[in-house]
Amino acid sequence: MIKQLCTFGFSMVFLLAVTVLPLQGQNNQQYHVGNQLLQQQKYEQAYQIFEKLHQQNPANPLFLQKATECLINLKRYEEAISMAEKAIEQSDSDGRASVRLAEIYHVKGDTARAFSIWDQTLAQHSNFQTYLDVARTMSDRREFARAVEIYEQARTRFSNTTLLATELANTYMQAAQYENAVNEFLQLVREEPDRIDYVQRSLIRYGDEYLHDIAILEIEEFLDDLSFDHPSHRRLHQLHQWLLLERNLYERAVAAAKAYEQQSENVTYSLLALGNRLISEHEYELAEEAYQYYIRNDIVSAKYQSMEQLSQVYQSWADFLSEHNLAHARRRDSLYQQSFDILQQLQAEAPYYNQMGRVRLRQAELAIDYLHDVELAKKYLTRIQNQSNESNSAQQFYVEGRIKLYEQDYARARIAFTRSNKQEGIGSLAEKTRYYLALTDFYAGDYEFAKIQLNSLEKQTTSYYANDAVQLRIWIQKGLSADSTGSIIEPFARGMEHFNQGKHREAVKALSPIISAKAYHPLMDEALLELSKHITPDLTYLTYAAISNYLDRWGQASALRERLMWEKARIADQVVTNRIPIDQPSETPSPAGELFPATAAEEFSLPESQQQVQTLYENILLEFPNGFYASYARNRIQELKNPQT
C-alpha cells in the first residue's frame, strides 16, 4: 500500500512539473518579447503582453511594474492607478504593489498622495525590505531628503548597518551631498575594512573633482581620530594617497606619505611606491625627495632600494629634459652624472645588495650611453659574468650586445641580443633587447628586418621602449617611402649612430647632406631635431639658420613643426640670456661651416634682445595654443617679462 502511495505521489509531482514548466517557459518567452517592445517604445503592444502576464500571475510584482510602466509612458495614469489598486486588493503581502501605486501618483504629479501611501505602506509592512523598497523608490524619484529619512528610520529599527550605510552613501552622492556621502563611506570602512575597494570604485564612477576634494579633507580628519592600529587605517591612507594623486596634489601626497611613515613603528615603504608614480608623472624633484627620505634617515631595509631608484630618477629626469629640450646641456649632464655616482655609492656601501646584478647592468648602460666609455662597460660586464648564474645570463648577453653594437660589430651584436631575448622571454629586458635588435638592423642598413623586429614591441603600449620603437619605424617609413632602396636613410642612420657614440663631429658630417640639401628631404626635420638635441657652441648659429630655413620653406606640413619652433626659440633664448658669443658662419671651423650655405648668414640672424626671443615663444602659442610646449612657452614668456626670476 505504501509503495502504491509513493508511486502515486511521484506521479503527481511529475505531472505538475510537466504542466508548470512549459507555462514558466512560455511566460519567460512572452516577457522577453514584451521587454523588447518596451525598449523599442512600442508601449501599446508591450502593455498587451504584460497586462496578460499580470492577469495570469497577479502575485508577481515584476509584471505589474512593467504593465504600469507602459501605461505611464502612454500617459494613461488612471488606468495604471486602477491596476495597482486591484493588485493591492488581490495580494499585497509584501507591500510592493502599494509602493508602486505611490510611485505612479508621484509620476502623475500628486506628490502629497504619493507620500501618504508610502507612509501607510511602512506602517502596515514594517519590515526591512519594505523600508528599502520605499527609500529606493523615493531616491529614483529624486526625493533624496525623504529617502534619507527612511534610511535613518531603518537604521534605528534594524541592525543591517552595512547595507544601509551603502544605500545612504549612494543616495547622498546622487543628491550631491558629498560630505555626508563620504562620511557614510568612512563609517562603512571603519566597520568593514575590506569594503575600501567598493568605496574607491564609487568615487571613480562619479569622477567629480569636487567630490575628490571633499573626500581628501574628510579622510584626513577621519584618520586623525582613527587609531593607527585600526585594520582600516592603512587602506584609508592608500585611498587618501590615490585621491591626492588623482587631483595632481603631488606635494601633499609626499608630505602625507612622510607623516604616515613617521607615525608607523615599522617601515611601510609608502614613499617607495609613491616615488614610482611620481616618476611616471614627471615629478622628478618630488620623487627625489621621496627616495631621499629613506637614504637620509638611514632606514636600511629601504635605503639601498631607494638609492637604486634615485639613480633611475636622475636618469629619467635627464632623458625627459633632453628629449624635450627643457634645460641646458650642463644641467642634463649633471643629472646623468648623479645617476652614475649614486650607483657607485650603492656598490661601495652595499656590495652584497640583492639586486646588484641589476645595478651593474645600469652602470654598464650609463657607461655606454652617457660616458661613452666602452672599456668601462666591459669591466661591468666582467663583474656580471663573475656572478654568472641562470638568472643573469640574459643580462650578460644584453650588455655584450650593447658593447658590440657600440663597436659596430653588428653580426655579434645580433647574436648577443637574440640570445638575451630568448633567455628573458618577457619583461622589460626582453623589450630592450628587441628594440636594440631593431636598432642594430637599422644601423646595418637592414631596414626591412628592423621593421619586423619592431612589430611585436610596438604592440606593447606600456613598454618603456614602445615610443622609441614607433620613432624608429617613422624614420624607416619616411626614408623607404621616398626611396625603396633605403639609400637616403643611410646618412641619417649613420648620424644617429655617431650621436649615440658621443661622436658629434662625425654625426654632423654624416647629416650634412640632409641638412644642407637645397631640395626637400623626407628626413630633414628629423635630422634638424637630432642636431638641436646635440648642439655645440660652434654649431649654434648654423643650427638656428637651418631650422629657420626649413620652417619657412617646408615646415608648414611637418609633424615636428611645433617642436622645431621650440628648438629655434630655445637656441635664441640661450644665446641672448646667457650672452653666448656666436661666430659668423665664415669663421666657423669645418665641418660645421659646410652644414649650411654662407648666404644663410644674411637671410637669418639670431635675435639680440629678450623682446625678440619673447616673440619666438609667442609664435608657438599663436600656432599651437594647446600644444605640448604651450605651457612651457607661457611660463618662459612670464620669466622674460620679469627679469628677477
Side-chain angles (χ1 to χ4, degrees), residues 167-366:
E167 296 279 343
L168 262 171
N170 288 327
T171 303
Y172 280 130
M173 291 277 270
Q174 292 179 67
Q177 297 181 29
Y178 294 144
E179 186 175 343
N180 292 332
V182 172
N183 283 326
E184 290 295 335
F185 280 137
L186 292 176
Q187 295 302 328
L188 175 64
V189 173
R190 185 200 288 270
E191 299 298 325
E192 297 187 29
D194 291 340
R195 298 299 296 275
I196 191 75
D197 292 332
Y198 166 76
V199 173
Q200 185 169 351
R201 286 196 303 271
S202 298
L203 294 174
I204 292 172
R205 186 171 68 250
Y206 278 85
D208 189 320
E209 292 183 355
Y210 179 66
L211 167 62
H212 290 175
D213 291 339
I214 292 292
I216 288 169
L217 294 174
E218 293 298 325
I219 291 173
E220 286 174 354
E221 292 182 9
F222 190 80
L223 287 174
D224 288 340
D225 298 332
L226 190 68
S227 169
F228 195 83
D229 298 327
H230 194 280
S232 63
H233 195 288
R234 181 177 179 82
R235 300 296 300 276
L236 280 172
H237 166 72
Q238 292 171 347
L239 177 59
H240 183 239
Q241 286 284 294
W242 175 80
L243 287 166
L244 289 170
L245 294 173
E246 283 295 300
R247 295 293 291 120
N248 299 330
L249 300 172
Y250 303 117
E251 291 185 23
R252 285 179 64 180
V254 172
K258 277 186 180 180
Y260 185 77
E261 196 72 81
Q262 289 165 353
Q263 283 182 293
S264 177
E265 294 181 0
N266 302 314
V267 181
T268 65
Y269 306 100
S270 57
L271 285 161
L272 274 176
L274 178 59
N276 291 329
R277 173 67 184 272
L278 292 170
I279 293 174
S280 67
E281 297 292 341
H282 308 304
E283 295 290 337
Y284 300 110
E285 290 185 21
L286 291 174
E288 178 187 24
E289 184 182 343
Y291 293 127
Q292 284 285 11
Y293 175 86
Y294 297 108
I295 298 170
R296 289 170 182 163
N297 291 288
D298 200 27
I299 301 174
V300 177
S301 61
K303 178 180 179 180
Y304 302 122
Q305 185 180 352
S306 296
M307 291 175 74
E308 182 188 357
Q309 289 298 105
L310 184 58
S311 173
Q312 183 62 54
V313 170
Y314 292 138
Q315 184 176 350
S316 298
W317 196 350
D319 288 342
F320 181 75
L321 294 176
S322 177
E323 178 64 26
H324 302 290
N325 192 8
L326 299 175
H328 302 307
R330 196 180 310 165
R331 171 62 173 151
R332 300 194 298 264
D333 291 346
S334 69
L335 288 169
Y336 283 124
Q337 189 63 53
Q338 284 178 276
S339 178
F340 186 78
D341 291 345
I342 197 74
L343 292 178
Q344 295 289 87
Q345 181 185 344
L346 172 57
Q347 185 178 355
E349 290 188 21
Y352 299 107
Y353 173 55
N354 59 359
Q355 295 296 336
M356 188 52 68
R358 195 166 60 196
V359 170
R360 292 193 178 107
L361 175 65
R362 294 208 38 243
Q363 286 175 314
E365 287 180 315
L366 286 167

Side-chain angles (χ1 to χ4, degrees), residues 326 328 566 569-570 572-578 610 613-614 616-618 620-621 629-645:
L326 299 175
H328 302 307
W566 173 259
R570 291 293 291 172
D573 195 350
Q574 292 177 33
V575 170
V576 173
T577 305
N578 299 322
Q610 289 190 345
V613 173
Q614 183 177 321
L616 294 176
Y617 287 119
E618 289 171 350
I620 297 173
L621 292 176
Y629 290 99
S631 60
Y632 296 107
R634 290 188 184 96
N635 291 339
R636 186 56 184 150
I637 289 171
Q638 291 302 315
E639 291 172 354
L640 291 170
K641 288 180 178 179
N642 183 12
Q644 292 181 351
T645 61

Side-chain angles (χ1 to χ4, degrees), residues 18-308:
V18 170
T19 306
V20 170
L21 285 176
L23 289 173
Q24 289 179 343
Q26 186 177 5
N27 286 345
N28 287 338
Q29 185 178 4
Q30 289 180 333
Y31 173 81
H32 287 301
V33 172
N35 209 35
Q36 286 180 349
L37 291 169
L38 182 61
Q39 291 173 357
Q40 294 168 7
Q41 299 183 359
K42 297 178 180 179
Y43 302 122
E44 185 63 49
Q45 294 173 262
Y47 171 69
Q48 298 299 328
I49 294 175
F50 287 125
E51 195 274 338
K52 183 179 179 182
L53 288 172
H54 171 61
Q55 294 298 331
Q56 294 173 349
N57 305 272
N60 191 327
L62 180 60
F63 297 143
L64 172 65
Q65 181 182 350
K66 290 293 183 179
T68 52
E69 183 179 346
C70 293
L71 291 172
I72 289 170
N73 282 292
L74 292 168
K75 310 297 183 186
R76 289 154 60 178
Y77 300 114
E78 296 303 327
E79 290 183 53
I81 290 171
S82 176
M83 178 177 286
E85 288 175 341
K86 288 180 181 178
I88 293 171
E89 293 173 2
Q90 291 176 348
S91 173
D92 192 28
S93 58
D94 57 4
R96 290 188 179 182
S98 296
V99 173
R100 183 59 175 166
L101 176 62
E103 186 177 8
I104 296 168
Y105 273 111
H106 195 281
V107 174
K108 183 184 176 183
D110 191 349
T111 55
R113 179 67 174 148
F115 285 123
S116 175
I117 295 173
W118 276 323
D119 290 339
Q120 291 175 14
T121 303
L122 290 174
Q124 295 171 2
H125 306 276
S126 57
N127 58 73
F128 183 71
Q129 186 59 50
T130 302
Y131 272 84
L132 283 183
D133 289 342
V134 171
R136 285 170 178 169
T137 305
M138 288 179 173
S139 183
D140 290 340
R141 297 302 308 153
R142 305 192 66 79
E143 296 288 353
F144 301 119
R146 293 297 301 270
V148 168
E149 288 180 17
I150 303 303
Y151 282 128
E152 292 292 358
Q153 291 174 22
R155 176 180 279 173
T156 303
R157 297 190 55 153
F158 307 102
S159 60
N160 196 338
T161 56
T162 299
L163 178 58
L164 288 172
T166 303
E167 296 279 343
L168 262 171
N170 288 327
T171 303
Y172 280 130
M173 291 277 270
Q174 292 179 67
Q177 297 181 29
Y178 294 144
E179 186 175 343
N180 292 332
V182 172
N183 283 326
E184 290 295 335
F185 280 137
L186 292 176
Q187 295 302 328
L188 175 64
V189 173
R190 185 200 288 270
E191 299 298 325
E192 297 187 29
D194 291 340
R195 298 299 296 275
I196 191 75
D197 292 332
Y198 166 76
V199 173
Q200 185 169 351
R201 286 196 303 271
S202 298
L203 294 174
I204 292 172
R205 186 171 68 250
Y206 278 85
D208 189 320
E209 292 183 355
Y210 179 66
L211 167 62
H212 290 175
D213 291 339
I214 292 292
I216 288 169
L217 294 174
E218 293 298 325
I219 291 173
E220 286 174 354
E221 292 182 9
F222 190 80
L223 287 174
D224 288 340
D225 298 332
L226 190 68
S227 169
F228 195 83
D229 298 327
H230 194 280
S232 63
H233 195 288
R234 181 177 179 82
R235 300 296 300 276
L236 280 172
H237 166 72
Q238 292 171 347
L239 177 59
H240 183 239
Q241 286 284 294
W242 175 80
L243 287 166
L244 289 170
L245 294 173
E246 283 295 300
R247 295 293 291 120
N248 299 330
L249 300 172
Y250 303 117
E251 291 185 23
R252 285 179 64 180
V254 172
K258 277 186 180 180
Y260 185 77
E261 196 72 81
Q262 289 165 353
Q263 283 182 293
S264 177
E265 294 181 0
N266 302 314
V267 181
T268 65
Y269 306 100
S270 57
L271 285 161
L272 274 176
L274 178 59
N276 291 329
R277 173 67 184 272
L278 292 170
I279 293 174
S280 67
E281 297 292 341
H282 308 304
E283 295 290 337
Y284 300 110
E285 290 185 21
L286 291 174
E288 178 187 24
E289 184 182 343
Y291 293 127
Q292 284 285 11
Y293 175 86
Y294 297 108
I295 298 170
R296 289 170 182 163
N297 291 288
D298 200 27
I299 301 174
V300 177
S301 61
K303 178 180 179 180
Y304 302 122
Q305 185 180 352
S306 296
M307 291 175 74
E308 182 188 357

Side-chain angles (χ1 to χ4, degrees), residues 426-629:
I426 58 174
S428 60
L429 184 58
E431 292 165 4
K432 280 185 184 181
T433 54
R434 180 68 66 182
Y435 171 73
Y436 280 104
L437 268 170
L439 194 62
T440 302
D441 290 330
F442 180 68
Y443 289 160
D446 296 332
Y447 307 119
E448 292 296 339
F449 282 102
K451 287 169 64 177
I452 293 171
Q453 298 289 358
L454 293 171
N455 286 337
S456 61
L457 187 57
E458 286 177 330
K459 295 175 184 177
Q460 302 186 32
T461 55
T462 57
S463 168
Y464 178 80
Y465 286 92
N467 288 340
D468 293 325
V470 171
Q471 182 63 74
L472 187 54
R473 180 178 289 279
I474 289 171
W475 293 341
I476 294 171
Q477 287 179 339
K478 277 187 174 182
L480 293 181
S481 62
D483 182 0
S484 59
T485 65
S487 59
I488 66 172
I489 306 177
E490 195 278 331
F492 181 81
R494 195 61 50 233
M496 290 302 303
E497 183 176 28
H498 289 316
F499 274 137
N500 290 335
Q501 292 172 331
K503 301 174 181 178
H504 288 192
R505 283 290 178 187
E506 291 83 346
V508 170
K509 192 173 182 179
L511 294 177
S512 178
I514 299 175
I515 296 172
S516 61
K518 294 182 179 180
Y520 173 77
H521 192 290
L523 288 170
M524 187 180 288
D525 52 353
E526 302 284 357
L528 287 169
L529 178 56
E530 295 303 323
L531 179 62
S532 64
K533 288 181 184 178
H534 303 87
I535 195 170
T536 53
D538 61 323
L539 294 174
T540 301
Y541 174 81
L542 294 174
T543 305
Y544 180 87
I547 292 174
S548 300
N549 178 65
Y550 177 81
L551 289 173
D552 285 355
R553 297 182 65 184
W554 303 294
Q556 199 63 42
S558 173
L560 297 176
R561 181 172 178 80
E562 182 191 9
R563 177 61 189 274
L564 290 175
M565 290 178 71
W566 173 259
E567 297 294 334
K568 178 182 175 180
R570 291 293 291 172
I571 293 171
D573 195 350
Q574 292 177 33
V575 170
V576 173
T577 305
N578 299 322
R579 297 181 175 86
I580 300 173
I582 301 299
D583 296 332
Q584 294 300 315
S586 58
E587 301 171 4
T588 306
S590 180
E594 300 173 1
L595 264 179
F596 201 72
T599 53
E602 300 175 2
E603 189 176 351
F604 302 103
S605 58
L606 276 162
E608 297 178 356
S609 67
Q610 289 190 345
Q611 182 58 46
Q612 290 175 304
V613 173
Q614 183 177 321
T615 300
L616 294 176
Y617 287 119
E618 289 171 350
N619 290 339
I620 297 173
L621 292 176
L622 288 173
E623 286 200 42
F624 302 97
N626 299 314
F628 177 83
Y629 290 99

